[in-house]
Every structure is written in structure tokens, then in C-alpha cells.
Amino acid sequence: MSDTVTMADLYPVLPEVCLALMAMALLMFGVFRGDKSTSSCSWLAVLALLLTGVVMGLLPEEADLAFGGQFVVDQFARFMKWLVLIGSALAVIMSINYNAREGIERFEFPVLILFASLGMLLMVSANDLISLYVGLELQSLSLYVIAAFRRDSAKSSEAGLKYFVLGALSSGMLLYGASMIYGFSGTTRFDALSNLFTGPSPDPGVGVVVGLVFLLAGLAFKVSAVPFHMWIPDVYQGAPGSVTLFIATAPKLAGFAMLIRLLADGLGGMHVHWQDMFVLMAVLSMVIGNLVAIAQENIKRMLAYSTIAHAGFLFLGMIPGTASGYSAALFYTVTYTITALGAFGMIVVLSRKGFEV
């Protein structure tokens, strides 16, 4: 990989560059205007997301690589990015009245959603474990902050703290797994890993398998699969309704898209090593998610366990490691995101100050 960045590298990432510049400009606008600019910042954030989609639509349709293959733009990435941008825009629109009603109307909220969306776009196009980690952390750091956005609420502060501590633990596991894979294979590129372990009798070695376990454990936390689900009920219940609406939709979409790309493009040759792990997580997620949801009295907490159960159903499509299985998982992901947007949207609409449905 060359040390110099050329226009050929920048062209595929033009939507992400535009979104980053607009997010920083919106941050400066909010800083100088203060909280009086919250409504304007929200609508400008929606406009920024839509403009990012327009820029993405102007790019050539053929697949393209950037930064030495660390970043890929193909039809799958474009489709998922459109869904992420639409989901984020709808989350901002639905949060405007709710935040004003709850007294948490501040300009930082739409700005943080823009930065989280930028991280999601990077996740969807990641073709390397390093670029995957950068996008994931950019999204996660923004979500940690908005989870504790209601600063005068002990539950919201607790939700943000739990999310941050457990998220930091999972990030450490993910990064340790990626370093193990790099140390024993010599590469972090998805396509290079696929070529390395594809053959009649690929033997990745114990070190790569151990790294694979740590890597997938860290990613399973991000998509709230059992037994890495302990954060999600408290975060969903404690965070403001507008934040829960956002966390339950676009980040989940980007997380599963990232996982599908990693398994399909990078770890397909090690299918036999990660299949049993996904079988166990799928069964536990479906059983625990559905059974524990029955006993919940708080609707947001019940929907949190529903999210855990849906993660198990999504894993069922990934277990075979086939194109049709990934297509089924992708279809389920899109369907789930739309229904979650409607369910949490109703909670936001029907909530009143001091009382959530």
C-alpha cells in the first residue's frame, strides 16, 4: 500500500468526506448559535444525510476500492448505506418534538447522530479489520454520549456508563482478536484472509482460531447476541426514547451488514471454526430473548429482549455460510429495522413529559 493518498482513493469515500465536513460545520454552527439553534441543527442534519445519499448516488455503479483495499464500495455497500442514511434521518425527525417535550433539546444530539452515521458508513464499506474497527469505534463513541443525554436522570447516566464500560471491554476483545489474526496470518484484509484460508484443507492454526473467537465475541456484543447482551435492557430502558429509537435501528442495520461482509468476504474459509459458535449464540439468543421478554413490565425493556431474540433469528441465516443464507439474513435485517422504527417511533410519539409508555 502506498503512503500517498491519491484522488483515486478519495473518490470512493466522497460521501463519507462530505458527511464529515457537514457534521463539523454543523457543530461549529451549533457552538456559535447555542441551544437556540437546536431545531435548525436537527433539520440541517437531516439535509446533510440526504445530501450524502445524493453524493453516493452520483458515484459509478461498478465496485471500487480505496486506500489499498481497506475500503470497498459495491452494490451491497450502497444499498446498506442508503438504509442507514434513511434510518438516521427518520430518527432525527422523530426526536425533534420528543426532545423538546422532555427538556433535552440540545444541538449536540443531531451532530452526534451525524458522527455515528459516519461511523456506520465506514463499517458497511470496511474491507479490513483496521477500517472495521475505526468505523465501529466512531459509531460507538457517539452512542455512548447520547445514551446519557438526559443528564439530570440517574437511569440515563447509568445507561450511558454501563454502555461505555461494557463497550470498552468488547472493543478490547475485538482489537485483541484482530491483532491475534494479524500476528498469525500476516494480514488484516478480508480478501487476503479469504484467499489464505480457502482450499481443500485450510488449516488456520490455533492462534488464528483463538483470535477469531475474540473477534466474533467483540462483534457479538455490538449486535447484542447472548451471552454478550447484558448491556442492552438497561440501556434501552434508561436512555431517552429518542436515543433508544436510534440505537435500535440504524446501528443494528450497520452492525449486521458489517458482520455479513466479514463472514462472507473474509472468514468464509474458516466457516467450520465459527459455525458452532454462531449456532450456540443463535439458540441462546432466541430462547433467552423470547422467554425473558414475557416477564418484562417496561415496554422498552421488553423490546430490548425482543432485539436480542431477533439477533438469534438473524444468526440462523449466517450459520450455513452460503449466499442464500446471507441474503435471507439481510432481508430479515431490513425487515426488522423497519418494524423497530415503527415500534420505537410509537413509543416516542405517545410519550409525555415524565412518562414513557
Side-chain angles (χ1 to χ4, degrees):
M1 178 179 174
S2 174
D3 293 332
T4 59
V5 177
T6 64
M7 287 303 298
D9 288 320
L10 293 177
Y11 194 64
V13 299
L14 197 57
E16 285 78 9
V17 171
C18 291
L19 183 58
L21 293 175
M22 288 186 286
M24 288 186 283
L26 195 60
L27 176 62
M28 297 302 296
F29 174 77
V31 167
F32 286 107
R33 290 289 305 275
D35 288 337
K36 296 181 296 182
S37 65
T38 303
S39 180
S40 301
C41 283
S42 297
W43 288 110
L44 287 173
V46 173
L47 180 62
L49 292 166
L50 295 179
L51 287 176
T52 302
V54 171
V55 173
M56 188 170 60
L58 297 176
L59 296 179
E61 292 188 2
E62 59 270 13
D64 200 0
L65 295 172
F67 302 108
Q70 293 192 20
F71 189 91
V72 60
V73 180
D74 52 16
Q75 291 296 337
F76 173 75
R78 288 188 183 89
F79 176 68
M80 299 309 296
K81 285 180 181 180
W82 266 111
L83 294 177
V84 166
L85 292 171
I86 292 171
S88 299
L90 290 175
V92 173
I93 293 171
M94 291 182 180
S95 69
I96 294 175
N97 290 334
Y98 176 89
N99 289 352
R101 190 167 60 240
E102 292 293 319
I104 55 173
E105 189 181 24
R106 292 191 290 275
F107 75 88
E108 292 94 339
F109 184 83
V111 174
L112 286 168
I113 286 187
L114 286 186
F115 283 114
S117 301
L118 175 60
M120 290 179 234
L121 298 187
L122 295 175
M123 287 164 54
V124 171
S125 283
N127 193 43
D128 187 283
L129 293 176
I130 303 303
S131 54
L132 179 151
Y133 182 77
V134 170
L136 190 60
E137 286 308 294
L138 178 56
Q139 173 212 266
S140 298
L141 290 171
S142 302
L143 296 184
Y144 298 154
V145 177
I146 62 173
F149 206 68
R150 186 184 280 137
R151 292 177 295 192
D152 57 349
S153 170
K155 285 187 176 181
S156 181
S157 300
E158 180 186 358
L161 184 60
K162 283 184 177 179
Y163 196 7
F164 172 72
V165 172
L166 295 174
L169 175 63
S170 73
S171 296
M173 294 172 64
L174 189 153
L175 198 57
Y176 181 71
S179 64
M180 288 278 289
I181 291 174
Y182 174 71
F184 284 92
S185 68
T187 183
T188 54
R189 285 267 302 272
F190 291 174
D191 49 0
L193 287 171
S194 179
N195 294 333
L196 198 60
F197 302 120
T198 299
S201 57
D203 182 19
V206 176
V208 174
V209 173
V210 172
L212 177 66
V213 171
F214 276 98
L215 177 70
L216 294 181
L219 293 176
F221 173 91
K222 303 298 183 182
V223 297
S224 62
V226 176
F228 310 101
H229 68 291
M230 65 290 293
W231 62 276
I232 196 166
D234 292 330
V235 171
Y236 273 38
Q237 182 180 2
S242 56
V243 175
T244 307
L245 166 69
F246 179 62
I247 293 177
T249 52
K252 285 290 183 293
L253 192 66
F256 281 110
M258 170 193 65
L259 198 54
I260 289 172
R261 184 182 291 281
L262 173 64
L263 296 179
D265 295 349
L267 304 179
M270 290 185 277
H271 174 253
V272 67
H273 297 284
W274 55 259
Q275 184 182 37
D276 291 342
M277 186 177 177
F278 271 77
V279 169
L280 181 61
M281 289 192 295
V283 172
L284 290 176
S285 298
M286 289 186 291
V287 172
I288 294 176
N290 284 307
L291 290 181
V292 178
I294 297 174
Q296 302 306 310
E297 296 180 357
N298 181 284
I299 191 169
K300 288 168 70 179
R301 201 172 182 88
M302 183 270 289
L303 288 173
Y305 280 102
S306 172
T307 299
I308 295 169
H310 283 297
F313 291 118
L314 280 159
F315 281 178
L316 290 179
M318 301 179 189
I319 289 170
T322 61
S324 58
Y326 293 131
S327 297
L330 180 60
F331 177 78
Y332 195 100
T333 303
V334 175
T335 307
Y336 161 74
T337 304
I338 295 172
T339 54
L341 192 65
F344 285 99
M346 288 302 296
I347 293 176
V348 167
V349 170
L350 296 176
S351 297
R352 295 294 176 264
K353 184 172 177 59
F355 172 75
E356 289 189 340
V357 177

XYZ file of all heavy atoms in Angstrom, residues 214-277:
486
model
N -12.136 -14.252 19.828
C -12.155 -12.932 20.454
C -12.799 -11.895 19.531
O -13.581 -11.045 19.980
C -10.733 -12.492 20.821
C -10.249 -13.015 22.130
C -9.438 -14.139 22.198
C -10.604 -12.394 23.313
C -8.995 -14.628 23.409
C -10.168 -12.878 24.539
C -9.360 -14.009 24.591
N -12.486 -11.958 18.248
C -13.041 -11.013 17.281
C -14.559 -11.124 17.209
O -15.280 -10.114 17.297
C -12.426 -11.269 15.903
C -12.955 -10.418 14.740
C -12.508 -8.968 14.902
C -12.477 -10.972 13.403
N -15.072 -12.337 17.077
C -16.516 -12.529 16.958
C -17.231 -12.251 18.274
O -18.390 -11.812 18.277
C -16.816 -13.947 16.474
C -16.350 -14.261 15.042
C -16.712 -15.687 14.656
C -16.963 -13.266 14.047
N -16.562 -12.481 19.403
C -17.162 -12.145 20.693
C -17.361 -10.635 20.806
O -18.408 -10.154 21.273
C -16.286 -12.660 21.835
N -16.357 -9.873 20.368
C -16.491 -8.416 20.393
C -17.588 -7.922 19.476
O -18.351 -7.012 19.830
N -17.714 -8.528 18.301
C -18.764 -8.128 17.371
C -20.143 -8.574 17.859
O -21.143 -7.882 17.623
C -18.487 -8.715 15.983
C -17.253 -8.160 15.262
C -17.038 -8.880 13.948
C -17.403 -6.663 15.019
N -20.216 -9.730 18.528
C -21.500 -10.208 19.055
C -22.047 -9.249 20.108
O -23.263 -9.074 20.227
C -21.340 -11.608 19.653
N -21.150 -8.608 20.854
C -21.602 -7.595 21.811
C -22.278 -6.437 21.087
O -23.321 -5.936 21.524
C -20.412 -7.080 22.622
C -20.746 -5.914 23.516
C -21.147 -6.117 24.816
C -20.675 -4.605 23.053
C -21.472 -5.050 25.636
C -20.989 -3.529 23.855
C -21.395 -3.761 25.157
N -21.700 -6.025 19.984
C -22.234 -4.872 19.262
C -23.623 -5.147 18.690
O -24.423 -4.216 18.521
C -21.281 -4.465 18.133
C -19.859 -4.141 18.591
C -19.815 -2.963 19.546
C -18.375 -2.615 19.920
N -18.306 -1.499 20.903
N -23.920 -6.418 18.361
C -25.245 -6.747 17.812
C -26.128 -7.400 18.863
O -27.181 -7.947 18.536
C -25.119 -7.651 16.569
C -24.392 -6.919 15.459
C -24.407 -8.962 16.893
N -25.700 -7.364 20.143
C -26.484 -7.795 21.304
C -26.945 -9.242 21.228
O -28.130 -9.541 21.386
C -27.693 -6.865 21.506
O -28.573 -6.905 20.403
N -26.004 -10.147 20.994
C -26.318 -11.574 20.992
C -25.931 -12.177 22.342
O -24.934 -11.780 22.946
C -25.561 -12.283 19.872
N -26.725 -13.113 22.834
C -26.417 -13.804 24.082
C -25.153 -14.645 23.862
O -25.033 -15.294 22.810
C -27.609 -14.709 24.487
C -27.281 -15.530 25.730
C -28.866 -13.874 24.710
N -24.211 -14.694 24.799
C -24.230 -14.140 26.164
C -23.587 -12.757 26.298
O -23.076 -12.420 27.353
C -23.414 -15.189 26.922
C -22.385 -15.642 25.933
C -23.056 -15.591 24.591
N -23.587 -11.980 25.230
C -22.977 -10.639 25.260
C -24.061 -9.554 25.203
O -23.862 -8.500 24.617
C -22.006 -10.488 24.080
C -21.026 -11.619 23.965
C -21.217 -12.636 23.049
C -19.921 -11.678 24.797
C -20.324 -13.684 22.941
C -19.015 -12.728 24.702
C -19.222 -13.734 23.776
N -25.182 -9.844 25.831
C -26.367 -8.993 25.707
C -26.641 -8.159 26.941
O -27.613 -7.398 26.966
C -27.582 -9.891 25.482
C -27.919 -10.724 26.696
N -27.106 -11.748 27.133
C -28.942 -10.663 27.577
C -27.632 -12.291 28.217
N -28.737 -11.645 28.513
N -25.818 -8.299 27.999
C -26.198 -7.770 29.310
C -26.409 -6.255 29.344
O -27.084 -5.731 30.215
C -25.160 -8.180 30.352
C -23.765 -7.613 30.162
S -22.844 -8.277 28.755
C -22.600 -9.966 29.285
N -25.885 -5.547 28.378
C -25.987 -4.088 28.384
C -27.315 -3.574 27.836
O -27.811 -2.511 28.236
C -24.855 -3.483 27.554
C -24.890 -3.875 26.102
C -24.386 -5.017 25.552
C -25.486 -3.150 25.018
N -24.610 -5.055 24.202
C -25.286 -3.917 23.848
C -26.162 -1.931 24.922
C -25.741 -3.503 22.596
C -26.608 -1.522 23.678
C -26.403 -2.299 22.541
N -27.910 -4.323 26.923
C -28.983 -3.741 26.110
C -30.277 -3.450 26.875
O -30.888 -2.403 26.663
C -29.226 -4.611 24.857
C -30.040 -3.835 23.823
C -29.893 -5.924 25.185
C -30.040 -4.481 22.449
N -30.762 -4.309 27.815
C -32.014 -3.949 28.512
C -31.893 -2.665 29.323
O -32.796 -1.819 29.303
C -32.276 -5.167 29.410
C -31.504 -6.278 28.794
C -30.287 -5.652 28.206
N -30.773 -2.498 30.043
C -30.593 -1.298 30.867
C -30.426 -0.051 30.008
O -30.944 1.021 30.350
C -29.374 -1.468 31.774
C -29.590 -2.540 32.829
O -30.743 -2.741 33.237
O -28.607 -3.190 33.220
N -29.717 -0.172 28.899
C -29.516 0.985 28.022
C -30.837 1.380 27.363
O -31.184 2.569 27.307
C -28.439 0.680 26.964
C -28.379 1.791 25.919
C -27.080 0.518 27.621
N -31.592 0.414 26.863
C -32.868 0.719 26.219
C -33.832 1.367 27.197
O -34.562 2.294 26.845
C -33.491 -0.558 25.653
C -33.040 -0.914 24.257
C -31.721 -0.716 23.860
C -33.921 -1.466 23.329
C -31.300 -1.047 22.591
C -33.497 -1.800 22.050
C -32.191 -1.591 21.686
O -31.772 -1.924 20.433
N -33.864 0.875 28.457
C -34.799 1.421 29.435
C -34.352 2.778 29.960
O -35.162 3.684 30.124
C -34.954 0.450 30.606
C -35.957 0.924 31.670
C -36.086 -0.052 32.826
O -35.403 -1.079 32.861
N -36.961 0.252 33.766
N -33.052 2.940 30.209
C -32.571 4.163 30.828
C -32.389 5.325 29.873
O -32.559 6.483 30.253
N -32.048 5.046 28.622
C -31.815 6.125 27.655
C -33.130 6.793 27.275
O -34.196 6.162 27.340
C -31.134 5.571 26.413
N -33.105 8.065 26.885
C -34.328 8.718 26.392
C -34.918 7.958 25.209
O -34.204 7.269 24.471
C -33.830 10.110 25.966
C -32.578 10.327 26.741
C -31.947 8.979 26.909
N -36.235 8.089 25.022
C -36.915 7.360 23.951
C -36.345 7.644 22.576
O -36.236 6.737 21.736
N -35.953 8.886 22.321
C -35.394 9.240 21.013
C -34.061 8.545 20.777
O -33.731 8.162 19.652
C -35.216 10.759 20.913
O -34.415 11.246 21.986
N -33.292 8.357 21.853
C -31.997 7.674 21.743
C -32.212 6.183 21.501
O -31.556 5.567 20.665
C -31.160 7.903 23.015
C -29.872 7.090 22.966
C -30.852 9.383 23.179
N -33.165 5.598 22.248
C -33.470 4.175 22.063
C -33.943 3.913 20.640
O -33.581 2.898 20.033
C -34.553 3.736 23.062
O -34.154 4.091 24.388
C -34.750 2.240 23.005
N -34.753 4.822 20.109
C -35.220 4.701 18.727
C -34.050 4.616 17.760
O -34.031 3.773 16.854
C -36.107 5.906 18.391
C -36.429 6.155 16.912
C -37.342 5.059 16.376
C -37.071 7.523 16.718
N -33.052 5.465 17.958
C -31.906 5.479 17.055
C -31.028 4.242 17.230
O -30.653 3.593 16.259
C -31.082 6.750 17.293
C -29.860 6.850 16.430
C -29.966 6.898 15.052
C -28.593 6.877 16.995
C -28.842 6.985 14.246
C -27.459 6.967 16.211
C -27.589 7.014 14.835
N -30.723 3.887 18.491
C -29.839 2.748 18.755
C -30.433 1.455 18.215
O -29.711 0.566 17.749
C -29.564 2.625 20.272
C -28.740 3.823 20.767
C -28.823 1.336 20.589
C -28.493 3.816 22.268
N -31.757 1.341 18.248
C -32.410 0.094 17.846
C -32.546 -0.068 16.339
O -32.948 -1.144 15.887
C -33.802 0.017 18.485
N -32.211 0.965 15.573
C -32.475 0.889 14.129
C -31.195 0.951 13.306
O -30.628 -0.086 12.945
C -33.451 1.996 13.719
O -32.971 3.274 14.205
C -34.833 1.756 14.306
N -30.723 2.137 12.995
C -29.582 2.282 12.074
C -28.312 1.570 12.548
O -27.677 0.871 11.747
C -29.317 3.769 11.821
N -27.887 1.689 13.822
C -26.677 0.967 14.241
C -26.811 -0.550 14.122
O -25.838 -1.244 13.797
C -26.502 1.393 15.702
C -27.169 2.721 15.790
C -28.344 2.615 14.876
N -27.997 -1.079 14.393
C -28.203 -2.519 14.237
C -28.065 -2.912 12.764
O -27.480 -3.945 12.432
C -29.584 -2.900 14.757
C -29.706 -2.919 16.266
C -28.930 -4.087 16.855
C -29.099 -4.161 18.352
N -28.501 -3.056 19.081
N -28.611 -2.100 11.890
C -28.524 -2.357 10.454
C -27.069 -2.383 10.003
O -26.626 -3.305 9.304
C -29.293 -1.271 9.703
C -29.589 -1.469 8.223
C -30.530 -2.632 8.015
C -30.198 -0.193 7.647
N -26.299 -1.388 10.436
C -24.886 -1.319 10.056
C -24.090 -2.461 10.682
O -23.181 -3.020 10.048
C -24.297 0.024 10.481
N -24.423 -2.820 11.927
C -23.701 -3.888 12.605
C -23.861 -5.231 11.910
O -22.883 -5.965 11.704
N -25.077 -5.567 11.526
C -25.297 -6.840 10.849
C -24.739 -6.816 9.425
O -24.256 -7.837 8.931
C -26.781 -7.189 10.847
C -27.269 -7.753 12.155
C -28.109 -7.024 12.978
C -26.860 -9.013 12.565
C -28.542 -7.538 14.186
C -27.283 -9.538 13.773
C -28.133 -8.802 14.593
N -24.799 -5.657 8.757
C -24.190 -5.550 7.427
C -22.685 -5.777 7.511
O -22.099 -6.479 6.673
C -24.488 -4.180 6.828
N -22.061 -5.197 8.533
C -20.627 -5.382 8.746
C -20.315 -6.853 9.012
O -19.336 -7.405 8.473
C -20.183 -4.525 9.931
C -18.784 -4.772 10.438
S -18.506 -3.982 12.039
C -19.650 -4.911 13.073
N -21.141 -7.513 9.820
C -20.908 -8.911 10.155
C -21.070 -9.808 8.926
O -20.275 -10.742 8.714
C -21.891 -9.327 11.256
C -21.570 -10.586 12.064
C -20.186 -10.501 12.671
C -22.621 -10.792 13.144
N -22.081 -9.518 8.103
C -22.290 -10.305 6.883
C -21.099 -10.158 5.942
O -20.609 -11.141 5.369
C -23.601 -9.867 6.185
C -24.816 -10.320 6.999
C -23.679 -10.441 4.772
C -26.140 -9.777 6.492
N -20.594 -8.931 5.777
C -19.431 -8.736 4.894
C -18.201 -9.456 5.445
O -17.452 -10.087 4.692
C -19.133 -7.243 4.725
C -17.993 -6.983 3.737
C -17.657 -5.525 3.606
N -18.686 -4.764 2.946
C -18.870 -4.733 1.625
N -18.100 -5.468 0.835
N -19.813 -3.991 1.101
N -17.985 -9.378 6.747
C -16.822 -10.031 7.345
C -16.879 -11.545 7.142
O -15.890 -12.170 6.749
C -16.763 -9.702 8.839
C -15.693 -10.439 9.654
C -14.297 -10.053 9.184
C -15.861 -10.145 11.140
N -18.056 -12.130 7.389
C -18.178 -13.586 7.265
C -18.119 -14.021 5.806
O -17.488 -15.029 5.479
C -19.490 -14.050 7.901
C -19.640 -13.823 9.416
C -20.987 -14.317 9.887
C -18.522 -14.515 10.185
N -18.793 -13.274 4.927
C -18.868 -13.677 3.521
C -17.550 -13.439 2.790
O -17.083 -14.298 2.034
C -19.998 -12.926 2.818
N -16.931 -12.278 3.015
C -15.747 -11.906 2.245
C -14.430 -12.276 2.918
O -13.420 -12.432 2.236
C -15.746 -10.397 1.971
C -16.899 -9.968 1.078
O -17.555 -10.855 0.508
O -17.139 -8.750 0.964
N -14.430 -12.386 4.251
C -13.167 -12.600 4.948
C -12.999 -13.946 5.617
O -11.924 -14.547 5.555
N -14.058 -14.424 6.283
C -13.917 -15.621 7.110
C -14.644 -16.824 6.534
O -14.880 -17.804 7.249
C -14.441 -15.330 8.527
C -13.800 -14.140 9.250
C -14.417 -13.945 10.616
C -12.288 -14.320 9.366
N -15.012 -16.763 5.267
C -15.720 -17.882 4.657
C -14.927 -19.171 4.683
O -15.469 -20.268 4.886
N -13.609 -19.074 4.524
C -12.767 -20.264 4.543
C -12.651 -20.891 5.917
O -12.236 -22.049 6.036
N -12.987 -20.134 6.963
C -12.934 -20.665 8.336
C -14.333 -20.970 8.859
O -14.573 -20.947 10.064
C -12.221 -19.661 9.245
C -10.733 -19.540 8.977
S -9.882 -18.463 10.152
C -10.231 -16.865 9.424
N -15.252 -21.238 7.933
C -16.645 -21.485 8.289
C -16.797 -22.571 9.346
O -17.595 -22.460 10.283
C -17.434 -21.854 7.029
C -18.847 -22.254 7.296
N -19.272 -23.560 7.215
C -19.925 -21.521 7.665
C -20.567 -23.624 7.513
N -20.980 -22.397 7.770
N -16.024 -23.622 9.233
C -16.142 -24.742 10.164
C -15.745 -24.336 11.581
O -16.208 -24.934 12.561
C -15.278 -25.931 9.674
C -13.798 -25.587 9.742
C -15.562 -27.185 10.475
N -14.914 -23.294 11.707
C -14.441 -22.872 13.022
C -15.412 -21.913 13.711
O -15.440 -21.868 14.949
C -13.064 -22.222 12.900
C -12.002 -23.151 12.396
N -11.426 -24.115 13.174
C -11.426 -23.269 11.165
C -10.530 -24.794 12.470
N -10.505 -24.291 11.241
N -16.164 -21.119 12.944
C -17.088 -20.189 13.593
C -18.537 -20.643 13.541
O -19.406 -20.043 14.200
C -16.960 -18.787 13.018
C -17.124 -18.593 11.536
C -16.139 -18.429 10.631
C -18.354 -18.526 10.783
N -16.654 -18.258 9.368
C -18.019 -18.304 9.438
C -19.696 -18.617 11.127
C -18.972 -18.186 8.428
C -20.659 -18.506 10.133
C -20.295 -18.293 8.801
N -18.846 -21.702 12.822
C -20.239 -22.136 12.684
C -20.842 -22.540 14.030
O -21.944 -22.107 14.383
C -20.330 -23.296 11.702
C -21.765 -23.740 11.419
C -21.814 -24.924 10.471
O -20.968 -25.809 10.533
N -22.797 -24.924 9.583
N -20.116 -23.358 14.801
C -20.657 -23.829 16.087
C -20.883 -22.668 17.052
O -21.843 -22.673 17.835
C -19.704 -24.848 16.711
C -19.660 -26.154 15.929
O -20.598 -26.392 15.141
O -18.690 -26.915 16.096
N -20.001 -21.693 17.010
C -20.152 -20.514 17.868
C -21.441 -19.767 17.537
O -22.185 -19.338 18.431
C -18.931 -19.605 17.694
C -18.893 -18.418 18.619
S -17.364 -17.461 18.391
C -17.650 -16.109 19.544
